[in-house]
Amino acid sequence: MTINKIDSEEQFNELLNEETFLLFKHSLTCPVSAEAYEQYEKYMTANEELKTAYLAVQEARPLSNYVAETYDIKHQSPQVILFKNGKPAWNESHWRITYDSLTKAISE
């Protein structure tokens, strides 16, 4: 499994060409984010066919802000956003990022 780290609008916009992809906004210093990342990683290991990427908020703040402003989704970290056909279809944050919540959102 490869989870790509992105840090530019160009990389993000390339992912928008995918029918479905999952974006994870990760804080490198937050223990809640570390737990959410583990849940995300576990889900992605079991669902390798789904395109995904993550950004480290401390290293890619302009990209994180771009996503929040462009799609009118309040910035949070950790945060996961499911994009379908170039638009956000679902998002969740903090302790609500679990293997089960990802499974449910992506299967809908």
Side-chain angles (χ1 to χ4, degrees):
M1 171 200 59
T2 303
I3 298 176
N4 295 317
K5 182 177 178 184
I6 62 172
D7 58 13
S8 72
E9 288 180 29
E10 292 77 21
Q11 291 170 309
F12 171 77
N13 288 330
E14 188 175 312
L15 287 166
L16 287 176
N17 293 323
E18 299 292 333
E19 182 178 330
T20 302
F21 85 93
L22 193 64
L23 177 67
F24 186 87
K25 293 170 119 183
H26 183 39
S27 170
L28 301 172
T29 57
C30 172
V32 174
S33 193
E35 176 61 31
Y37 187 85
E38 285 181 21
Q39 293 290 307
Y40 161 71
E41 191 173 47
K42 179 180 170 186
Y43 180 82
M44 292 313 305
T45 298
N47 297 277
E48 293 183 353
E49 71 285 350
L50 179 64
K51 295 287 184 183
T52 190
Y54 80 97
L55 64 86
V57 174
Q58 291 88 337
E59 298 170 353
R61 176 59 78 172
L63 175 58
S64 180
N65 290 343
Y66 170 79
V67 172
E69 293 165 8
T70 301
Y71 296 98
D72 196 28
I73 298 173
K74 180 183 172 190
H75 165 76
Q76 299 187 61
S77 64
Q79 184 175 43
V80 66
I81 305 170
L82 177 65
F83 287 85
K84 291 187 176 183
N85 301 313
K87 296 184 172 141
W90 172 83
N91 74 88
E92 197 55 87
S93 68
H94 295 85
W95 293 111
R96 293 177 304 276
I97 300 170
T98 64
Y99 185 94
D100 290 341
S101 70
L102 292 167
T103 300
K104 182 177 178 190
I106 292 164
S107 66
E108 291 181 346

